[in-house]
Amino acid sequence: GQGVDEPLSATGFRQADAAGLFLSNVKFTHVFSSDLLRAKQTAAAILGKNRFCKDLEIKYDARLRERKYGVAEGRPLADLKAMAKDAGEQCPSFTPSGGETLDEVRERARDFFEFLCQLAVELEQKEQGKPGAPGRSSGTSGEQFVFPWTNHCSEAEPSSAGNGSSTVLDANILVVSHGAYMRNWIGYMVSDLNCTLPANLTKSQLSSVSPNTGVSHFIIKLENGNLLKPNITCVCLNQDSHL
């Protein structure tokens, strides 16, 4: 939850370092993290292993915090399940006294996602406004990025048309958050925004919580800057081969 702001354990630091090595060749343009300590430390560890982005500023955002669990915060998961059972409900839909509902978490996720989309559109507009700037379709106006999960994910891996190089993106954004929050964010993208999923993804995988430092990768296309209808493709979900 939010109320217990503990640092990573020794295992957590090892996992964060492993994620950093896994993503070391990915050139990020922006990094956002929850403002809770464990997420801050994870984001810093990932950037610390990166070949290109060691000095990139991490921006902390309270909208990325874990779900608030009220009276259940700081207590074992078994206690939360017992509270849910006593209330005649099941996790994760059960909301403890003082906690956030799933709808409230999803609203936070929606707000942050729309903020990211607006950021990407503004970047594109700035690029187009530069004197003599080449058109994006020429393949020269954006950075190229190297993604490490070729052997682990669906065939939806991004690539430029036929030339085998990494796709040209306006922004390549690393977001470091928490398990229950991210499950709700992904649920929002699937149910509300019709995100395309890998063909081999099962329902149980879609509803499961990411392992610590699990990596999920989404490609977001905003045709003509249309913020209302983002085209979203999930390349991989809760990837954990680095662990």
Side-chain angles (χ1 to χ4, degrees), residues 117-129:
C117 289
Q118 182 65 49
L119 171 67
V121 168
E122 290 173 358
L123 287 170
E124 173 74 356
Q125 290 170 344
K126 285 181 182 178
E127 190 67 29
Q128 289 179 344

Side-chain angles (χ1 to χ4, degrees), residues 44 53 63 78 99 148 193 204 220 224-225:
C53 309
R63 288 174 293 184
L193 301 178
S204 62
I220 318 295
N224 301 315

Side-chain angles (χ1 to χ4, degrees), residues 67-101:
R67 182 184 180 188
K68 184 179 180 182
Y69 282 93
V71 296
E73 293 203 341
R75 296 168 65 174
L77 180 59
D79 287 6
L80 177 63
K81 290 181 177 179
M83 291 179 194
K85 185 177 180 180
D86 289 344
E89 299 182 43
Q90 289 185 322
C91 295
S93 57
F94 170 67
T95 302
S97 176
E100 281 182 297
T101 66

Side-chain angles (χ1 to χ4, degrees), residues 118-154:
Q118 182 65 49
L119 171 67
V121 168
E122 290 173 358
L123 287 170
E124 173 74 356
Q125 290 170 344
K126 285 181 182 178
E127 190 67 29
Q128 289 179 344
K130 290 180 181 177
R136 187 171 180 272
S137 59
S138 69
T140 58
S141 65
E143 294 286 358
Q144 290 189 325
F145 306 95
V146 179
F147 302 99
W149 32 78
T150 305
N151 298 324
H152 304 288
C153 302
S154 74

Side-chain angles (χ1 to χ4, degrees), residues 131-234:
R136 187 171 180 272
S137 59
S138 69
T140 58
S141 65
E143 294 286 358
Q144 290 189 325
F145 306 95
V146 179
F147 302 99
W149 32 78
T150 305
N151 298 324
H152 304 288
C153 302
S154 74
E155 296 178 357
E157 175 160 6
S159 62
S160 298
N163 65 8
S165 65
S166 297
T167 192
V168 175
L169 303 172
D170 293 312
N172 192 32
I173 303 171
L174 172 66
V175 178
V176 180
S177 186
H178 308 268
Y181 175 88
M182 290 188 292
R183 177 170 59 185
N184 279 270
W185 186 355
I186 293 165
Y188 160 68
M189 290 198 288
V190 171
S191 63
D192 291 31
L193 301 178
N194 299 313
C195 172
T196 300
L197 298 169
N200 59 352
L201 195 70
T202 66
K203 283 188 176 181
S204 62
Q205 288 173 315
L206 181 60
S207 62
S208 64
V209 173
S210 174
N212 287 341
T213 71
V215 176
S216 296
H217 178 196
F218 295 87
I219 303 169
I220 318 295
K221 294 181 181 178
L222 300 165
E223 296 294 340
N224 301 315
N226 188 345
L227 295 170
L228 298 178
K229 292 185 178 180
N231 183 290
I232 308 175
T233 300
C234 176

